[in-house]
Amino acid sequence: MIVDTPVSLKRAQTLLADVRACTRCAGHLPLGPHPVLQVHPAARILIAGQAPGSRVHATGVPFDYPSGDRLRDWMGIDKTIFYDATRIAILPMGFCFPGTGKSGDLPPRSECAPAWRDILLAIMPNIGLTLVIGQYAQAWHLKGKAKATLTETTLAWRDYGQTMIPLPHPSPRNNIWLKRNPWFNEELLPTLRKRVSAVLA
Ligand code: SF4
């Protein structure tokens, strides 16, 4: 059932303003706070990702780069739908760019999810499908049911019911993973597209 929530819209706007003013872990952010997220009480699909990279930090537009093109292709939707907050919510595990380490971007800041995630999820009662991208989102959203590795969790996607689909990050860095795991394209993606289409219908 779709819940009509005019009160939640006001609540969402207030919460978004609070998040945008957040400086909770500012001392650890090399480029400073710049939360990047997309929320609306009417949203039907949640994209639970990792954390913005430096490009997204600069533009403020989530997934506006080749990874985003691949994610949209996986979902079978275009940018118009993807950036429509009344349909798609985008909540990374850390809202601000965490900096870069020896092997790529650092993990999402651990302060962020406990501070914001539950209260933001609570104002989106219409989410019918969550795409759980990467190990940090899987650890949070699959609530102790994630397997030992991201590959094992994603391979076990049928175990997580109709409303959760674990995914690897759509980054070109995962091209080798995608080649090694042909079941992802052959079995998981057709189901993902069908569920996205059904939830947005
Ligand atoms: S990462 Fe999260 S907790 Fe840290 S400053 Fe940004 S919004 Fe606040």
Side-chain angles (χ1 to χ4, degrees):
M1 182 179 72
I2 309 286
V3 181
D4 186 17
T5 52
V7 176
S8 294
L9 186 53
K10 181 109 180 88
R11 171 84 177 125
Q13 288 164 343
T14 305
L15 259 177
L16 258 180
D18 289 346
V19 172
R20 292 198 168 117
C22 180
T23 57
R24 193 171 296 255
C25 64
H28 299 282
L29 303 173
L31 302 182
H34 183 189
V36 180
L37 63 159
Q38 178 169 301
V39 295
H40 190 284
R44 298 286 290 133
I45 293 176
L46 169 65
I47 296 172
Q50 186 151 311
S54 57
R55 280 172 66 175
V56 171
H57 171 90
T59 64
V61 181
F63 289 106
D64 188 24
Y65 51 104
S67 299
D69 291 337
R70 175 175 272 165
L71 179 57
R72 286 181 282 276
D73 177 57
W74 286 356
M75 298 172 72
I77 62 175
D78 61 17
K79 281 190 173 185
T80 305
I81 296 173
F82 190 84
Y83 291 115
D84 178 353
T86 66
R87 293 193 264 192
I88 308 286
I90 301 172
L91 279 190
M93 293 305 296
F95 298 149
C96 301
F97 171 56
T100 306
K102 280 184 191 157
S103 53
D105 286 355
L106 292 171
R109 287 303 312 175
S110 59
E111 299 88 340
C112 200
W116 296 114
R117 206 155 190 83
D118 283 341
I119 49 176
L120 286 166
L121 292 173
I123 53 102
M124 294 191 287
N126 295 308
I127 297 294
L129 177 64
T130 299
L131 308 187
V132 193
I133 299 176
Q135 60 171 316
Y136 300 101
Q138 290 176 0
W140 179 280
H141 284 273
L142 301 182
K143 305 201 184 303
K145 293 183 183 160
K147 313 283 182 200
T149 66
L150 182 140
T151 300
E152 288 175 48
T153 303
T154 310
L155 184 56
W157 59 275
R158 292 177 182 85
D159 295 351
Y160 300 109
Q162 294 296 307
T163 60
M164 296 268 173
I165 300 186
L167 296 172
H169 196 280
S171 163
R173 282 192 206 159
N174 276 335
N175 285 348
I176 291 173
W177 187 94
L178 291 167
K179 267 194 187 155
R180 282 185 187 148
N181 294 280
W183 52 267
F184 180 81
N185 274 319
E186 292 161 9
E187 298 170 30
L188 193 158
L189 284 192
T191 301
L192 169 61
R193 290 186 185 121
K194 265 189 216 158
R195 288 195 200 166
V196 167
S197 172
V199 168
L200 292 179

